[in-house]
Amino acid sequence: MRDYRIAILPGDGTGREVALEASKILDTIAANTNFGFEQMEIACGGQLYKETGKEWEEGSFELCRDEADAVFLGAIGHPGSYLPNGDLAGGSVILGMRSGLDLYANVRPVKLFQGVLHKVHGRFTQIWQPDMVDMTILRENTEGLYYSLLKRASNRAQGLEDYTIPDMEFPDLKGEVAYDPRPISSHGTERLVKMGFDIAQTRNGAPADGVSKVSCIDKSNVTRGCQLFRRTFDQVASNYPSITTDYGYIDAFTQWITRNPEHYDVVVTSNMFGDIATDLASILQGGMGMAGSGNIGDDHAFFEPVHGSSPKYAGMNKVNPIASINSIQMMTDWLGRRNQDEKLLEVSKLIEQSVEDHLKEGKMLTYDLGGNASCSDVGDAIASTLAAKLSEL
Ligand code: IPM
Ligand code: MG
């Protein structure tokens, strides 16, 4: 069993608390197997910027790029912390890595575990059935409406010259005008869609019928970028004859995933649509506290909960660490596949089973799932379930 080096970036607010629980899972693996997980902690984020004028120490981007096998990020965002140019402070961390490390796919699984109730209209209920929600959404992560923001952030992260967007004129518009171009390329779309089809080959198909399917979600009835996205999707799809294709417009998609989540297996979409759709989709799995993600490219990856820094809960040891634990599960799966490390892939499955067992038992849950356990209590409980499973490995 080999050693892995993991950069841990706690970031802002509750990101710092959930990062401790993510780190606890890595420690648990190291303590109960022959794997080594060397963790390098890097301070970063909007609060650090407010305090020191730096989003992270110089050399941090290079450390993540050159020294780490994988990166975990807690959350970025501190109230009122913006750069002089108006961009989010801490952006060079999250957006700088997405663009600077060319992490073109933001992979966001949406799975409802047994025992998880949903807090919808103020009460905990079981609206969606656990065996009916199991999809993976891939959000394009390096272009689209985020393009110029991503370029500014990644140039900043690497100490490169500031990125400025090309001039455009809108002579008929009155008053001040601000714009964000939304470039979508065939290359960026092709690699994202290809990863979507490759992931579909590793899954069990849509819950409704077990049929492997990739859904292309866009707005190709109105925008040119989306027309290119869909055309490229079709070209890639022709190389995967055994996988069914499916199409939807983003507006209609929001109602279809709410009404019939069982229809979806793998979904591919552009950057901003994916940002919005995955917050909505997290409700199908019990909320943002459950949603883990991976920002994945060909050579690098970082893993983070989909939720933000939730400043109103910061320092209270209250938020759900499961989104972060699920992100560590994704990290070990990615590392295992990348290094053909079968043992690590087994560990990854055991992390998922530990979360599953914990939720099925339903005893120790954070407030968002109807309980009153603390963040660290839930992390401890899942870590000890995992430790017991690892000892049998
Ligand atoms: C996300 C977040 C980020 C985004 C923010 C924090 C920049 O909302 O990861 O979904 O907009 O991509
Ligand atoms: Mg978001």
Side-chain angles (χ1 to χ4, degrees), residues 117-125 127-128 283-284 286 368:
L117 300 177
H118 323 268
K119 193 169 183 202
V120 179
H121 54 65
R123 238 181 283 131
F124 286 97
T125 46
I127 296 175
W128 296 279
I283 297 304
L284 306 172
D368 55 316

Side-chain angles (χ1 to χ4, degrees), residues 9 109-110 112 126 135 190 218 227 232 246 262 284 297-298 324 341 374:
L9 284 61
V110 181
L112 177 57
Q126 185 80 68
M135 70 182 91
E190 190 186 326
D218 56 45
Q227 285 162 3
T232 309
D246 180 54
E262 68 274 16
L284 306 172
D298 291 331
S324 290
D341 187 338
S374 70

Side-chain angles (χ1 to χ4, degrees), residues 282-314:
S282 80
I283 297 304
L284 306 172
Q285 64 190 135
M288 297 290 274
M290 297 297 297
S293 75
N295 298 264
I296 298 177
D298 291 331
D299 300 315
H300 302 277
F302 85 82
F303 299 83
E304 54 166 346
V306 176
H307 65 69
S309 58
S310 32
K312 80 173 179 192
Y313 293 122

